[in-house]
Amino acid sequence: MNYNTEILTADKSSIQKAAELIKSGEVVGMPTETVYGLAANALDPEAVSKIFIAKGRPQDNPLIVHISRMEMLEGLVTEVPELAVKCAKKFWPGPLTMIMPKSDKIPKTTSGGLDTVGIRMPSNKTARELIGTCGLPLAAPSANLSGSPSPTSAQHVFDDMNGRIPCILDDGRCAVGVESTVISFERDCIRLLRPGFISVSDLKEVTDKVIVDKGVLDVVSQDAVVASPGMKYKHYSPKADVTIIDGSLDSFRKYVADNKTKNTWCMTFSQDDLSEIDCPAVIYGSTDEEQARRIFDALRELDKHGAEKVFARCPNKTGVGLAVYNRLLRAAGFQVIKL
Ligand code: AMP
Ligand code: MG
């Protein structure tokens, strides 16, 4: 791994160049509407293993396979549950990953040793053109070093992957900002394994039987057998020690005033949150959607400032807010102070 990593503005010729690299077994940085991904040919175990090396990702953490047309699904899975057909009609292309039984075409390297595979059809135009030009399903996890906040700009990818991959297609900031919603199917139920922009109430428009897996909001032990291996790994962590303060604005202000030390920063919804407290802050937005777009950038920004301790205001735990809360919980190593 010693590439001269290029950031290329996404256009016809750079997409063509990236597709050639992927077809020759390389890994490239790919924009999607959720976060930037590290894309390789999902059917080639050698290419896929380069993703794991570039990220430093544990081998048992499966990769999501990205397609651009419904016909690409055939052959990758052995069964498409009726609920999956309904979800695909409603949410694809878009930020929803569906776990299905994998066919032999998907190597175990891609599925992290599992007999299932997560499939997603992104809506981002560059991602779709790249997949279409390759004519291949692309395995793509988030393009960060394992454990770090996910990248929502080409510069974030460069910061983590410089020297590790040949190129990054730059398509600006990600529209959604948090990774896809991940679901699996059990008889007539949908199980939510990872919350994302497609919310529980969105899923309930397909069936009212939506189970939120325990791992979405609870600590999962390292040796646990879990429905979704990504749940048990350290995630999205800045260098700073983050604590979520779950309470009113007044109680947040008081807590910060009483507990801040020399290098304490706040992560707040707006500038107004900071009146009456003398503490530097990164602002991550006042709506669920804005917080989703900003959260990972905010975590990276805190590291740039050299923050040692961070007190974060607690996002909503419903709608898209649940996805933000799920990410922030992991960034905070599950440290929450309820006031
Ligand atoms: P990332 O690629 O960083 O967005 O992470 C993808 C996550 O999707 C993994 O960490 C898993 O938690 C989940 N996932 C992917 N494939 C499967 C699968 N076959 N079964 C269960 N969870 C999966
Ligand atoms: Mg990731």
Side-chain angles (χ1 to χ4, degrees), residues 47-175:
V48 167
S49 68
K50 291 184 187 168
I51 296 179
F52 284 89
I53 294 167
K55 274 183 71 86
R57 183 174 173 110
Q59 302 269 333
D60 69 344
N61 195 357
L63 307 180
I64 291 170
V65 174
H66 295 71
I67 59 174
S68 58
R69 289 175 295 110
M70 236 10 223
E71 302 80 77
M72 290 179 87
L73 185 60
E74 284 163 35
L76 301 181
V77 298
T78 56
E79 187 204 329
V80 183
E82 206 178 305
L83 277 174
V85 175
K86 286 187 181 162
C87 287
K89 280 200 179 121
K90 200 165 172 62
F91 302 116
W92 275 6
L96 179 72
T97 297
M98 301 197 278
I99 310 292
M100 290 175 266
K102 79 169 195 67
S103 76
D104 292 340
K105 270 180 89 177
I106 301 279
K108 287 255 177 173
T109 318
T110 302
S111 69
L114 300 174
D115 295 326
T116 53
V117 62
I119 312 266
R120 177 163 109 79
M121 188 191 290
S123 62
N124 175 280
K125 207 166 152 263
T126 301
R128 295 166 67 76
E129 279 178 24
L130 181 63
I131 301 164
T133 309
C134 292
L136 290 166
L138 300 185
S142 50
N144 52 285
L145 288 172
S146 202
S148 299
S150 298
T152 51
S153 71
Q155 186 60 48
H156 292 164
V157 181
F158 187 84
D159 291 344
D160 279 17
M161 290 297 147
N162 185 16
R164 293 170 177 257
I165 55 173
C167 76
I168 303 159
L169 290 177
D170 185 353
D171 194 22
R173 296 253 165 194
C174 298

Side-chain angles (χ1 to χ4, degrees), residues 19-292:
E20 293 306 327
L21 284 163
I22 288 174
K23 285 197 279 185
S24 70
E26 295 291 338
V27 176
V28 308
M30 168 178 81
T32 81
E33 69 278 22
T34 57
V35 302
Y36 274 73
L38 282 185
N41 176 0
L43 309 180
D44 175 355
E46 240 174 80
V48 167
S49 68
K50 291 184 187 168
I51 296 179
F52 284 89
I53 294 167
K55 274 183 71 86
R57 183 174 173 110
Q59 302 269 333
D60 69 344
N61 195 357
L63 307 180
I64 291 170
V65 174
H66 295 71
I67 59 174
S68 58
R69 289 175 295 110
M70 236 10 223
E71 302 80 77
M72 290 179 87
L73 185 60
E74 284 163 35
L76 301 181
V77 298
T78 56
E79 187 204 329
V80 183
E82 206 178 305
L83 277 174
V85 175
K86 286 187 181 162
C87 287
K89 280 200 179 121
K90 200 165 172 62
F91 302 116
W92 275 6
L96 179 72
T97 297
M98 301 197 278
I99 310 292
M100 290 175 266
K102 79 169 195 67
S103 76
D104 292 340
K105 270 180 89 177
I106 301 279
K108 287 255 177 173
T109 318
T110 302
S111 69
L114 300 174
D115 295 326
T116 53
V117 62
I119 312 266
R120 177 163 109 79
M121 188 191 290
S123 62
N124 175 280
K125 207 166 152 263
T126 301
R128 295 166 67 76
E129 279 178 24
L130 181 63
I131 301 164
T133 309
C134 292
L136 290 166
L138 300 185
S142 50
N144 52 285
L145 288 172
S146 202
S148 299
S150 298
T152 51
S153 71
Q155 186 60 48
H156 292 164
V157 181
F158 187 84
D159 291 344
D160 279 17
M161 290 297 147
N162 185 16
R164 293 170 177 257
I165 55 173
C167 76
I168 303 159
L169 290 177
D170 185 353
D171 194 22
R173 296 253 165 194
C174 298
V176 170
V178 287
E179 304 85 346
S180 59
T181 304
V182 178
I183 58 172
S184 63
F185 304 96
E186 290 168 17
R187 295 174 305 277
D188 56 346
C189 300
I190 291 177
R191 178 176 289 274
L192 177 72
L193 299 174
R194 179 173 73 184
F197 192 78
I198 307 293
S199 66
V200 172
S201 58
D202 292 333
L203 295 169
K204 282 193 172 163
E205 288 176 26
V206 175
T207 172
D208 54 4
K209 293 182 182 148
V210 179
I211 304 162
V212 176
D213 195 273
K214 203 172 164 295
V216 167
L217 293 177
D218 286 347
V219 188
V220 175
S221 88
Q222 282 295 311
D223 41 344
V225 177
V226 287
S228 186
M231 285 174 172
K232 68 181 181 195
Y233 290 109
K234 189 166 178 274
H235 253 110
Y236 321 124
S237 298
K239 292 182 189 78
D241 176 29
V242 180
T243 305
I244 302 173
I245 309 300
D246 189 355
S248 67
L249 176 55
D250 278 348
S251 62
F252 175 81
R253 284 173 175 157
K254 181 160 180 356
Y255 187 88
V256 173
D258 292 347
N259 292 279
K260 73 182 162 91
T261 53
K262 202 171 130 256
N263 214 349
T264 298
W265 282 66
C266 289
M267 205 172 137
T268 62
F269 302 154
S270 72
Q271 196 63 42
D272 285 351
D273 293 355
L274 293 160
S275 59
E276 297 164 45
I277 42 178
D278 177 25
C279 189
V282 166
I283 291 164
Y284 79 115
S286 50
T287 64
D288 296 344
E289 288 75 15
E290 201 184 340
Q291 287 168 9

